[in-house]
Amino acid sequence: MLIVHHLNNSRSQRVLFLLEELGVPYEIVRHERDKKTMLAPPALLAVHPLGKSPVIVDDGVTMAETGAIIEYILERYGNGRLEPKRGTPEHRRYTYWMHYAEGTLMPILVMKLVFNRIETSPMPFFVRPIAKGIAKKVKRLVIEPNLKRNVEFIEEELGRSAWLAGDEFTACDIQMSFPVEAAAARGGVDRSKPRILAYVERMKARPAYQRAMERGGPYTLSG
Protein backbone atom coordinates (compact mmCIF):
# COMPACT_ATOMS: atom_id res chain seq x y z
CA MET A 1 0.00 0.00 0.00
CA LEU A 2 1.11 3.54 -0.72
CA ILE A 3 2.70 5.20 2.32
CA VAL A 4 2.70 8.96 2.89
CA HIS A 5 5.33 10.33 5.24
CA HIS A 6 3.26 13.18 6.59
CA LEU A 7 4.73 16.18 8.43
CA ASN A 8 2.35 18.31 10.47
CA ASN A 9 1.57 21.77 9.05
CA SER A 10 3.28 21.01 5.77
CA ARG A 11 2.80 20.62 2.05
CA SER A 12 2.24 16.89 2.50
CA GLN A 13 -1.39 17.81 3.28
CA ARG A 14 -1.84 18.26 -0.49
CA VAL A 15 -0.81 14.65 -1.11
CA LEU A 16 -3.53 13.45 1.26
CA PHE A 17 -6.00 15.73 -0.53
CA LEU A 18 -5.09 14.22 -3.90
CA LEU A 19 -5.31 10.63 -2.66
CA GLU A 20 -8.71 11.29 -1.11
CA GLU A 21 -9.96 12.84 -4.37
CA LEU A 22 -8.86 9.74 -6.29
CA GLY A 23 -9.99 7.25 -3.64
CA VAL A 24 -6.54 5.64 -3.50
CA PRO A 25 -5.91 3.63 -0.30
CA TYR A 26 -2.89 4.82 1.68
CA GLU A 27 -1.22 4.69 5.05
CA ILE A 28 0.20 7.65 6.97
CA VAL A 29 3.50 7.68 8.83
CA ARG A 30 3.39 10.77 11.01
CA HIS A 31 6.32 13.10 11.67
CA GLU A 32 6.22 16.10 14.01
CA ARG A 33 8.14 19.34 13.64
CA ASP A 34 10.56 20.41 16.32
CA LYS A 35 8.52 22.80 18.47
CA LYS A 36 11.39 25.29 18.81
CA THR A 37 12.91 25.30 15.33
CA MET A 38 9.78 24.16 13.42
CA LEU A 39 12.08 21.99 11.30
CA ALA A 40 11.32 18.43 10.22
CA PRO A 41 12.64 15.69 12.54
CA PRO A 42 15.81 13.68 11.75
CA ALA A 43 13.66 10.57 11.24
CA LEU A 44 12.76 11.82 7.78
CA LEU A 45 16.41 11.52 6.75
CA ALA A 46 15.96 7.76 6.90
CA VAL A 47 13.24 8.07 4.24
CA HIS A 48 14.85 10.60 1.90
CA PRO A 49 18.35 12.17 1.91
CA LEU A 50 16.97 15.71 2.18
CA GLY A 51 14.89 14.85 5.23
CA LYS A 52 11.85 16.82 4.09
CA SER A 53 8.17 16.14 3.56
CA PRO A 54 6.19 15.17 1.57
CA VAL A 55 7.66 11.82 0.68
CA ILE A 56 5.75 8.78 -0.51
CA VAL A 57 6.82 5.16 -0.76
CA ASP A 58 4.84 3.05 -3.19
CA ASP A 59 5.74 -0.46 -4.31
CA GLY A 60 9.45 0.16 -3.80
CA VAL A 61 9.39 3.64 -5.33
CA THR A 62 10.34 6.58 -3.10
CA MET A 63 9.24 9.95 -4.40
CA ALA A 64 9.70 13.46 -3.00
CA GLU A 65 8.56 16.95 -4.10
CA THR A 66 4.84 17.61 -4.21
CA GLY A 67 4.66 18.28 -7.95
CA ALA A 68 6.56 15.11 -8.79
CA ILE A 69 4.42 13.12 -6.36
CA ILE A 70 1.24 14.45 -7.93
CA GLU A 71 2.44 13.52 -11.41
CA TYR A 72 3.42 10.04 -10.23
CA ILE A 73 0.09 9.40 -8.50
CA LEU A 74 -1.93 10.66 -11.47
CA GLU A 75 0.10 8.55 -13.88
CA ARG A 76 -0.31 5.41 -11.81
CA TYR A 77 -3.77 5.83 -10.29
CA GLY A 78 -5.49 8.74 -12.01
CA ASN A 79 -6.96 7.07 -15.11
CA GLY A 80 -7.32 10.51 -16.68
CA ARG A 81 -8.94 12.10 -13.66
CA LEU A 82 -8.01 15.55 -12.30
CA GLU A 83 -6.01 16.50 -15.40
CA PRO A 84 -7.35 18.28 -18.50
CA LYS A 85 -6.92 16.65 -21.87
CA ARG A 86 -3.46 17.30 -23.28
CA GLY A 87 -3.19 19.79 -26.09
CA THR A 88 -6.08 21.89 -24.79
CA PRO A 89 -5.97 25.47 -23.44
CA GLU A 90 -7.09 24.04 -20.11
CA HIS A 91 -4.06 21.74 -19.99
CA ARG A 92 -1.71 24.62 -20.73
CA ARG A 93 -3.22 26.56 -17.84
CA TYR A 94 -3.01 23.42 -15.69
CA THR A 95 0.71 23.05 -16.43
CA TYR A 96 1.34 26.70 -15.65
CA TRP A 97 -0.31 26.59 -12.22
CA MET A 98 1.37 23.29 -11.33
CA HIS A 99 4.75 25.02 -11.70
CA TYR A 100 3.72 28.48 -10.49
CA ALA A 101 2.71 27.19 -7.05
CA GLU A 102 6.23 26.21 -6.00
CA GLY A 103 8.27 28.16 -8.54
CA THR A 104 6.83 31.63 -7.90
CA LEU A 105 4.31 31.91 -5.07
CA MET A 106 5.77 29.70 -2.33
CA PRO A 107 9.27 31.32 -2.35
CA ILE A 108 7.67 34.71 -1.62
CA LEU A 109 5.61 33.28 1.21
CA VAL A 110 8.61 31.48 2.69
CA MET A 111 10.62 34.70 2.57
CA LYS A 112 7.84 36.52 4.39
CA LEU A 113 7.69 33.82 7.05
CA VAL A 114 11.48 33.93 7.56
CA PHE A 115 11.64 37.71 7.85
CA ASN A 116 8.64 37.78 10.18
CA ARG A 117 10.53 35.41 12.46
CA ILE A 118 13.67 37.54 12.29
CA GLU A 119 11.63 40.45 13.63
CA THR A 120 10.24 38.43 16.56
CA SER A 121 13.11 36.06 17.41
CA PRO A 122 15.15 36.63 20.58
CA MET A 123 18.60 38.08 19.95
CA PRO A 124 21.22 40.23 21.72
CA PHE A 125 19.84 43.70 22.46
CA PHE A 126 22.58 45.46 20.47
CA VAL A 127 21.75 43.44 17.34
CA ARG A 128 17.96 43.62 17.62
CA PRO A 129 17.37 47.11 16.12
CA ILE A 130 19.66 46.39 13.16
CA ALA A 131 18.10 42.99 12.42
CA LYS A 132 14.56 44.30 12.76
CA GLY A 133 15.37 47.30 10.59
CA ILE A 134 16.77 45.12 7.81
CA ALA A 135 13.83 42.70 8.04
CA LYS A 136 11.27 45.50 7.80
CA LYS A 137 13.06 47.08 4.84
CA VAL A 138 13.29 43.81 2.91
CA LYS A 139 9.61 43.14 3.56
CA ARG A 140 8.58 46.65 2.51
CA LEU A 141 10.72 46.92 -0.61
CA VAL A 142 10.81 43.33 -1.89
CA ILE A 143 8.46 40.85 -0.26
CA GLU A 144 5.23 42.81 0.17
CA PRO A 145 5.19 44.34 -3.35
CA ASN A 146 5.83 40.93 -4.89
CA LEU A 147 3.18 39.24 -2.78
CA LYS A 148 0.66 41.97 -3.61
CA ARG A 149 1.37 41.62 -7.34
CA ASN A 150 0.93 37.86 -7.25
CA VAL A 151 -2.25 37.96 -5.18
CA GLU A 152 -3.75 40.46 -7.61
CA PHE A 153 -2.75 38.21 -10.50
CA ILE A 154 -4.46 35.17 -8.96
CA GLU A 155 -7.57 37.22 -8.17
CA GLU A 156 -7.76 38.32 -11.82
CA GLU A 157 -7.20 34.81 -13.16
CA LEU A 158 -10.02 33.43 -10.99
CA GLY A 159 -12.33 35.80 -12.86
CA ARG A 160 -11.90 33.58 -15.91
CA SER A 161 -13.30 30.38 -14.39
CA ALA A 162 -14.28 28.73 -11.12
CA TRP A 163 -11.03 26.76 -10.95
CA LEU A 164 -7.56 27.71 -12.10
CA ALA A 165 -7.36 25.52 -15.20
CA GLY A 166 -10.99 26.00 -16.20
CA ASP A 167 -14.46 25.09 -15.05
CA GLU A 168 -13.39 21.69 -13.71
CA PHE A 169 -11.46 21.06 -10.50
CA THR A 170 -8.02 19.58 -11.27
CA ALA A 171 -4.80 18.58 -9.54
CA CYS A 172 -3.34 22.06 -10.15
CA ASP A 173 -5.93 23.36 -7.68
CA ILE A 174 -4.62 20.84 -5.16
CA GLN A 175 -1.07 22.01 -5.89
CA MET A 176 -2.14 25.63 -5.39
CA SER A 177 -4.17 24.93 -2.25
CA PHE A 178 -1.22 25.19 0.17
CA PRO A 179 0.27 28.50 -1.06
CA VAL A 180 -3.14 30.14 -1.48
CA GLU A 181 -4.16 29.15 2.03
CA ALA A 182 -0.77 30.33 3.30
CA ALA A 183 -1.26 33.69 1.58
CA ALA A 184 -4.67 34.02 3.20
CA ALA A 185 -3.22 33.16 6.62
CA ARG A 186 -0.08 35.33 6.39
CA GLY A 187 -1.57 38.43 4.85
CA GLY A 188 -2.10 39.64 1.32
CA VAL A 189 -5.57 38.15 0.93
CA ASP A 190 -8.51 39.96 2.51
CA ARG A 191 -12.04 41.02 1.60
CA SER A 192 -10.66 43.02 -1.29
CA LYS A 193 -9.91 39.66 -2.95
CA PRO A 194 -13.35 37.98 -2.94
CA ARG A 195 -12.54 35.53 -5.74
CA ILE A 196 -9.58 34.06 -3.86
CA LEU A 197 -11.58 33.85 -0.64
CA ALA A 198 -14.42 32.11 -2.49
CA TYR A 199 -11.92 29.78 -4.17
CA VAL A 200 -10.49 28.75 -0.80
CA GLU A 201 -13.99 28.12 0.55
CA ARG A 202 -14.89 25.98 -2.48
CA MET A 203 -11.73 23.99 -1.86
CA LYS A 204 -12.48 23.49 1.81
CA ALA A 205 -16.04 22.41 1.02
CA ARG A 206 -14.87 19.43 -1.02
CA PRO A 207 -15.44 16.16 0.85
CA ALA A 208 -11.95 14.95 -0.13
CA TYR A 209 -10.39 18.05 1.43
CA GLN A 210 -12.30 17.46 4.63
CA ARG A 211 -11.35 13.78 4.77
CA ALA A 212 -7.69 14.72 4.20
CA MET A 213 -7.89 17.21 7.06
CA GLU A 214 -9.36 14.56 9.35
CA ARG A 215 -6.63 12.07 8.50
CA GLY A 216 -3.80 14.60 8.45
CA GLY A 217 -4.59 16.10 11.83
CA PRO A 218 -4.39 19.68 13.13
CA TYR A 219 -3.34 22.12 10.44
CA THR A 220 -2.37 25.76 10.68
CA LEU A 221 -0.55 28.03 8.26
CA SER A 222 -0.29 31.15 10.36
CA GLY A 223 3.06 32.71 11.09
Side-chain angles (χ1 to χ4, degrees):
M1 182 177 289
L2 190 152
I3 297 171
V4 180
H5 287 269
H6 176 59
L7 180 66
N8 64 308
N9 294 335
S10 80
R11 306 173 206 200
S12 60
Q13 190 67 33
R14 292 182 293 191
V15 177
L16 307 186
F17 187 6
L18 174 65
L19 292 169
E20 291 292 343
E21 284 283 352
L22 294 173
V24 177
Y26 63 97
E27 294 180 359
I28 297 176
V29 175
R30 299 183 184 278
H31 301 269
E32 294 291 322
R33 294 181 182 275
D34 183 286
K35 291 183 180 179
K36 290 184 178 180
T37 66
M38 297 306 294
L39 297 176
L44 271 170
L45 287 167
V47 185
H48 188 274
L50 294 182
K52 294 184 178 182
S53 178
V55 178
I56 65 167
V57 179
D58 182 40
D59 196 22
V61 174
T62 300
M63 183 74 67
E65 292 293 338
T66 311
I69 291 170
I70 289 175
E71 288 188 16
Y72 171 86
I73 291 172
L74 289 178
E75 181 180 351
R76 182 157 191 190
Y77 300 104
N79 295 317
R81 292 173 291 172
L82 298 181
E83 184 176 1
K85 185 177 179 181
R86 291 180 179 273
T88 63
E90 290 77 12
H91 196 276
R92 286 190 287 274
R93 289 175 66 185
Y94 169 89
T95 301
Y96 174 80
W97 292 110
M98 285 291 291
H99 290 274
Y100 170 88
E102 294 294 325
T104 297
L105 188 54
M106 272 310 301
I108 301 169
L109 292 166
V110 170
M111 284 182 66
K112 181 169 184 179
L113 179 63
V114 169
F115 279 89
N116 281 347
R117 288 182 178 171
I118 289 173
E119 285 188 281
T120 59
S121 295
M123 62 187 75
F125 75 91
F126 55 87
V127 175
R128 189 179 302 120
I130 298 172
K132 287 187 175 182
I134 292 172
K136 287 180 179 179
K137 190 169 185 178
V138 171
K139 285 169 60 179
R140 186 179 75 254
L141 296 179
V142 179
I143 299 173
E144 296 297 349
N146 270 290
L147 182 57
K148 181 176 184 290
R149 187 179 304 115
N150 277 272
V151 166
E152 290 174 348
F153 169 64
I154 297 168
E155 178 75 8
E156 183 178 349
E157 286 294 302
L158 284 170
R160 299 175 61 184
S161 53
W163 301 102
L164 287 169
D167 293 329
E168 299 295 325
F169 177 84
T170 69
C172 82
D173 296 296
I174 294 174
Q175 177 77 329
M176 281 289 291
S177 64
F178 186 90
V180 170
E181 286 188 71
R186 297 172 189 168
V189 176
D190 53 28
R191 292 181 182 178
S192 68
K193 303 294 182 291
R195 292 169 183 161
I196 295 178
L197 294 177
Y199 174 75
V200 171
E201 290 307 309
R202 285 196 299 277
M203 195 97 63
K204 291 181 176 180
R206 296 185 72 83
Y209 180 99
Q210 296 169 11
R211 291 193 300 271
M213 291 294 293
E214 289 174 6
R215 292 202 63 180
Y219 182 61
T220 176
L221 289 169
S222 60

